[in-house]
Amino acid sequence: MLHDLLFSLLGKPGSFVKQFDNSPFYIDESLNLFSKPEIVQLNQIVNLGYHYQQIDNFLQNQDEKSNYLKALVYGIDNSLNDYRQTILSLEQEYLNEKMFIVSQLNVRLQAFYQILLNLHTSINIIQQHNMRGGQILDYLYERTLTGNDKLQIIYQNILSACYEVLFQQLSSWLQYGQILDTSEEFFIQRIDEKKKTDQYEYNWDTSFTLNIQMLPLHFVTLQMADKILFIGKAVKVLKGQQELFINEHQQLIREIEVYDSFTFNRIVDQLQKQVGEQLVQLIVNKQELFSHLKNFYLFILLNNGNFIQQFLSDCQSILQLPQTQQALQELNFNLHKMDYDQTEKMDMFIYNNGFEYKTFQSLNNLQIKNNVIQTINILRMGPARGPEDWSGVFRDVKQSIENGFTLQIVFKFKQQLQKSLGGYSMLQVPQDLSTSLVLLFCQDEENGVFIRLKLDQQKVSSLSVESKIKFKEEIIYKWKLDKIDFSEGDLHSLKINYQNDELSLILDDTQSETQCKTDILPPSQWKKVAFKFQKYFQLELGRCMVGIKQYGQIVDLYTWKMIGSNFLNDASWSGLTLKYQVEYPLSLLITPSLQEKFQLFFRYLFPIRHAQFELQQVWIKLIKKFKKKDCKYIMGMHTQLMHVVNAFYHYFQMDIIAVQWSKMISRMQNEINFEQMRKIMDEFEQSVSNQLFLNLQQIVKNIFQVIKFVHRYIEQVNRIEMQHPQVINKECYKLMVEFDTQFVALFNLIQLLTKSTNQTALFQLLTRIDYNSYFDNKTNEKL
C-alpha cells in the first residue's frame, strides 16, 4: 500500500490514489481503507504528487528553442532532487521496518508542501504570461524575496541556472559584438539583418537597439543597458579595425560572471571606459577626426574664403544658366580641378527635398522605434513591446511639407483588420505640445471599413505621438470604403498629396507590388479636403518629422517615398549642395544625419555668399563705366544691399559659426568619451541652427527676400547697356523704396527677438546692420 502511496508522490496515481481529468489527486474513500482523519491527511500528502506531476509534465514537454526555458527546466529539475531522495528514503525505511504511520509520513514531507506548490504556481504564471528572457529572470528574482529560507535557496539556484544563459549572451556581446540569441530573448536585438561585404561595417544608430521588454531590470538598469549596448557596438568596430586590446578586455569579461550587481556595474563601467577610449583613439588619431572636421568647417561651412571665391569665379557663367544635369557636371569638373587636395572627397549635387526607399535592404537615415524588424527587403512593424502602444519608423531629418508634398507607401496587413484601430501617423511636429496628422484605418459595424484623418495634440516627448493624455483631437475627414476590406495578405498602395492647401488621398489594392486592380474606387472619386498646415502645425521652416507608425497590428512596409518642396527658396540652383565623403569608421561619429545637417547649412549660406559675390562683381562693372553722380540710386541701392548682405554673412560666419566651432573643437579635444563627443557635435549643430534663425521661419523667409532683391537689382544693372542709365536709375529708386519697406519688417523681427533672448550675437548683428541707426529711424518714421 505504501508503495502505491509513494508512487503517487512521484506523480503516478494508483489503486487508491485517484485523479479525474488532470485535477488534483485524492484518496478513493469507497475502498474503506482509511479513517476520515487519515483521509484528510492523505489527501494533503497526495496533493504533493499532483504538484510534482504538473511540474514534471512541464519539464518533460519543453522542446522549445528558448535557452532561458531550458535553463529554467534544468534549475527546477535539480531543485526536485531532495524531494525525490526523500521519497526513496521513505521507501527504504518501509522495506526495513514493514510499517508506516500517516502522521509520521506527513511530518517527513512537511518541508515540501510549500516548495512544490510554489514551483507549480510559478510554472503556471510563466506559461500563462508567455514569459521569456529577462521577464523570467525578473520573476524568479521576485520569488527569491521570501522569508522561507529553503524556498529562497531553491529559487536562487534556479535563478543562477538562468543567469548562466544571460552571462553567455553578455559575454558574446561584450567580447565579440555578437548576439547569441535564437529566440529574441536578449535585451539587445539586431534590426538591420542585411549581410554586408565587411561584416564589421554597420550603421551605429540603426543596426542594434535595446529590447526593453527583455531587460532584467532587477539586475540591469536601463542606464546600464545603454552602456552594455555601447560596449558591444564599440567592440564590433574595434575588432573590425583590429584595434581591440584583447587580453585586458577578456580578463574583465571573465570577472563579470558573478551574481553581484555592484561588481557587475563596476566591470561594465570599466569596459565602457576602456572600449570608449580605444574607439576615440581610433577615430581621433588613426582616422584623423579633427583634420576631417576642419575640412567640413572650411568647405561645407564656407569658412575658406579663397576657396569659395575661386569656385564662384570659375563657375559664374554656369550658375547663370538653368539648372541641368550637364551644368551640374561642369560645376563638379571645375570643383575637382581646383588646387585643393580636399576636393577629391567632395562633390556637388542638387538636393531634392524628399526620399525614396524602393526596398528596405538598408536603414540609412531611418529611426526605428519599438517592435520593428527588418526582414530581407521589407520592414515588419509589430505590436509594441513596451509601455508605448505603437511601433514605427521615422526619417531622421525633418522634411519640408508646407509648400506641398507627395507621400506614398506600399504596405500589407499581416492579419485582417479588426475593430481595433490600425493607425498610421504620417506627419509630426515635435514640440512640447506635439501635433500629429494621423491616418487611421478603422472598422466598425455601423460604417464598415473606413479611413479617418484626424489631428492629435498632446504634451509628450519628441517622438511620441499617441498617448493616454490627449489635449485635443480633431477629426478632419472620414472616407468610407466599399471595396477594400484590408484582408490578410492584400497589398495596398497609399498616396497622400498636398498641393494648394488641399489634401487628397488615394488608396489602391494591388495584386502584386507593381500591378493595381482596376475595380477599386478610382482616384477621381476621392474627395479633396481643404487643409492648411499653418492652421494646425507650428512648423519650423515649413518642416516636420515624417514617419509611419502603427497601433495594434502587424504591418509589412514594402516601399516608402516622399517628394517635397525646397523650404529655403525657389530660385535656380537653390538646392545646390556640397557633399564631403566620410568613410567608415569615421562615419560613426560624423554620421550621415549630421552630414545632412551640415549640408543644410551650406544650402543656407551659399545663396547669401553667392549674392555677395554678384554684388562685388557688378560693383566692378559699375565703377569702370559710370560716375557716381550719373547713377545715384543704382550706387545707393548697391551700397544698401551690399551692407545688409555683408552684415548677415559676417554675423553667420564670424559671430556664430566661428565662435561655436571653436567651442566645439575645444570641448572635443578634451573629451575621451565617444558618446559624449557625438553629443557635443549634436549640440553644436543645434546651437548653430538656432542662431542662424533656422527655427524661425519668418526671419529666414525675409533673409531670402533680401537675396531676391539682389537678383532683381542685378537684372536691372545688366540691362544698363541696353537702356539709358537714367531709366535704370529710376527703377533702382523704386526698388530701394520697396527694399526699405521689406527690410524694416525683418529689422523689427530681429529687434523683438533680442527682447526675448539675451544672446550677445544678436546685438552684434543689430550693430552690424544698423550702425548709423538708419533702419531704426525708418521704423520710427512709420510709427
Side-chain angles (χ1 to χ4, degrees), residues 328 332 347-351 575-579 599 603:
L328 180 63
N332 275 307
D347 281 296
M348 287 283 185
F349 71 97
I350 302 299
Y351 173 82
L576 187 65
T577 306
L578 183 60
K579 180 179 181 181
Q599 291 163 10
R603 291 194 298 277

Side-chain angles (χ1 to χ4, degrees), residues 225-242:
D226 278 327
K227 294 179 181 179
I228 293 170
L229 176 63
F230 167 81
I231 294 168
K233 293 195 294 186
V235 165
K236 200 168 184 68
V237 176
L238 293 168
K239 287 183 72 68
Q241 301 294 316
Q242 298 181 347

Side-chain angles (χ1 to χ4, degrees), residues 20 55 65 75 84 121 132 256 262 265 277 344 359 439 454 508 563 580 594-595 661 677-678 697 723 745 780:
F20 177 74
I55 295 170
K65 296 180 181 179
R84 297 186 187 110
T121 302
R132 299 179 300 121
I256 214 168
F262 294 104
N265 291 345
E277 290 176 356
E344 295 179 1
T359 68
L439 196 68
K454 70 172 186 176
D508 285 318
I563 301 173
Y580 183 85
L594 187 65
Q595 293 175 51
W661 188 270
M677 292 183 78
R678 283 165 58 98
Q697 184 179 0
Q723 291 180 294
N780 294 330

Side-chain angles (χ1 to χ4, degrees), residues 183-195:
S183 304
E184 296 184 4
E185 294 182 294
F186 191 39
F187 60 83
I188 295 171
Q189 65 179 9
R190 178 155 195 154
I191 302 173
D192 184 355
E193 296 179 352
K194 178 184 175 185
K195 303 299 182 183

Side-chain angles (χ1 to χ4, degrees), residues 567-620:
F567 72 91
L568 288 177
N569 67 93
D570 55 4
S572 179
W573 298 103
S574 62
L576 187 65
T577 306
L578 183 60
K579 180 179 181 181
Y580 183 85
Q581 182 181 352
V582 177
E583 297 179 352
Y584 181 88
L586 192 62
S587 59
L588 298 177
L589 194 59
I590 309 177
T591 63
S593 175
L594 187 65
Q595 293 175 51
E596 197 162 340
K597 290 168 184 173
F598 278 122
Q599 291 163 10
L600 170 62
F601 295 154
F602 179 90
R603 291 194 298 277
Y604 186 47
L605 296 171
F606 181 78
I608 302 174
R609 182 64 183 90
H610 187 204
Q612 187 184 50
F613 173 82
E614 287 189 309
L615 287 171
Q616 292 168 349
Q617 296 302 305
V618 83
W619 175 256
I620 297 172

Side-chain angles (χ1 to χ4, degrees), residues 205-265:
D205 293 305
T206 63
S207 290
F208 298 96
T209 187
L210 291 178
N211 184 0
I212 304 298
Q213 192 178 13
M214 294 295 111
L215 187 62
L217 290 171
H218 75 280
F219 190 71
V220 183
T221 64
L222 186 57
Q223 182 182 13
M224 191 60 58
D226 278 327
K227 294 179 181 179
I228 293 170
L229 176 63
F230 167 81
I231 294 168
K233 293 195 294 186
V235 165
K236 200 168 184 68
V237 176
L238 293 168
K239 287 183 72 68
Q241 301 294 316
Q242 298 181 347
E243 294 292 333
L244 185 64
F245 301 155
I246 300 294
N247 293 335
E248 185 179 352
H249 187 73
Q250 289 181 339
Q251 178 60 37
L252 280 173
I253 292 173
R254 279 193 288 270
E255 294 178 22
I256 214 168
E257 294 188 12
V258 293
Y259 312 128
D260 176 7
S261 60
F262 294 104
T263 303
F264 177 75
N265 291 345

